[in-house]
Amino acid sequence: MKRVLITGSADGLGQMVAQRLIGLGHEVVLHARNEARAQDALRAAPGAAGAVVGDLSSIAETRAVADQANATGRFDVIVHNAGVGYREPRRIETVDGLAHVFAINVLAPYLLTALVERPDQLIYLSSGMHRGGDADLSDLQWKHRRWDGMQAYSDSKLWDVVLAFAVARLWPDVLSNALEPGWVPTKMGGPGAPDNMSLAPDTQVWLATTDNPGTGGYYYHRKPRQTHPAVTDPAVQDGLLAICADITGVALK
């Protein structure tokens, strides 16, 4: 049995992954952005060991999520599933003055990776759209570019893979991988998404339960898949980590 934390598991893919892992006998801790959603999540995933609560668009609340997670004990696996999609019609600014998409999709998994006690395995949810991401680090907050929700999302999913590969390089004792679940009809994907919803949580469950899946991999339906060429560049990895450390005051060591 493994102890697993899944961010963004109040609904959607995160909830599906939680339900499957619980069904396999693993100890699963859920996450939701507020207490009401946490209670909904616990009802939807009977057998869950509990839930941590915090809005990942806020640095302070993300720190609180890390504190709650650490208080429950060390995890074997952490699945960084939480994310927002590509439909934001304008740049939304968080309480910390950051682009909403970047704060939730990139900065939150960075900060949780840095603050939660190291697990045996880290899993980062990305998207096939990451291959269309822009690896330019100069304007991650979209302060100087004209807003493009689709591009902002693609960029954020690129940075998720960069983060996963950076952790694989810097923490050889931790298995760190990323994946794309496919374009599926979740709340984020929309009702017209063409991919098979039943397969969407499969790779996450497979990675979480496989004893040694390797590290520094990127998967789709359990199979390796091509990534954006920037994800393996140590200069890009270190650049992203430095920016996230500067914003949060927390370095990934």
Side-chain angles (χ1 to χ4, degrees):
M1 182 185 75
K2 294 184 179 181
R3 293 196 76 235
V4 186
L5 170 65
I6 307 170
T7 67
S9 42
D11 57 16
L13 292 182
Q15 186 179 96
M16 293 176 70
V17 173
Q19 290 167 340
R20 292 197 184 185
L21 288 173
I22 292 167
L24 292 170
H26 299 283
E27 181 181 337
V28 176
V29 174
L30 309 173
H31 158 259
R33 67 174 175 265
N34 57 49
E35 188 59 42
R37 284 179 62 81
Q39 293 306 312
D40 290 342
L42 289 167
R43 283 189 289 270
V52 294
V53 178
D55 185 341
L56 299 184
S57 71
S58 159
I59 291 173
E61 291 202 31
T62 303
R63 283 177 169 272
V65 168
D67 290 343
Q68 293 168 57
N70 285 329
T72 72
R74 181 179 177 274
F75 291 93
D76 299 298
V77 183
I78 298 175
V79 182
H80 291 287
N81 168 83
V84 291
Y86 51 84
R87 291 189 173 89
E88 294 189 353
R90 58 181 176 81
R91 180 185 183 274
I92 298 172
E93 190 164 284
T94 70
V95 292
D96 302 300
L98 305 172
H100 186 246
V101 173
F102 178 86
I104 294 177
N105 290 7
V106 185
L107 198 66
Y110 166 85
L111 193 54
L112 292 174
T113 299
L115 292 178
V116 178
E117 184 179 356
R118 288 191 197 185
D120 296 326
Q121 187 177 174
L122 289 159
I123 301 169
Y124 299 85
L125 205 72
S126 182
S127 163
M129 290 175 65
H130 92 272
R131 285 181 284 274
D134 184 350
D136 186 348
L137 291 158
S138 63
D139 188 25
L140 296 185
Q141 303 312 320
W142 288 82
K143 290 186 175 180
H144 307 294
R145 290 178 284 173
R146 183 176 180 178
W147 177 255
D148 182 330
M150 189 82 73
Q151 189 62 54
Y153 175 77
S154 296
D155 292 355
S156 74
K157 294 290 101 179
L158 169 60
W159 302 130
D160 285 336
V161 188
V162 170
L163 176 57
F165 279 43
V167 172
R169 174 172 64 92
L170 296 172
W171 291 357
D173 58 327
V174 176
L175 302 175
S176 178
N177 295 288
L179 66 102
E180 60 184 78
W183 183 14
V184 291
T186 59
K187 183 170 60 179
M188 183 186 298
D195 287 348
N196 189 331
M197 187 69 173
S198 67
L199 294 178
D202 182 66
T203 304
Q204 298 93 302
V205 173
W206 169 68
L207 284 170
T209 55
T210 300
D211 286 335
N212 189 2
T215 192
Y218 180 80
Y219 298 93
Y220 171 68
H221 293 177
R222 301 192 184 192
K223 296 181 180 179
R225 198 159 210 187
Q226 181 182 3
T227 61
H228 190 296
V231 304
T232 56
D233 186 341
V236 174
Q237 295 173 8
D238 291 344
L240 176 66
L241 298 182
I243 290 170
C244 291
D246 183 61
I247 293 172
T248 62
V250 178
L252 191 74
K253 297 178 179 177

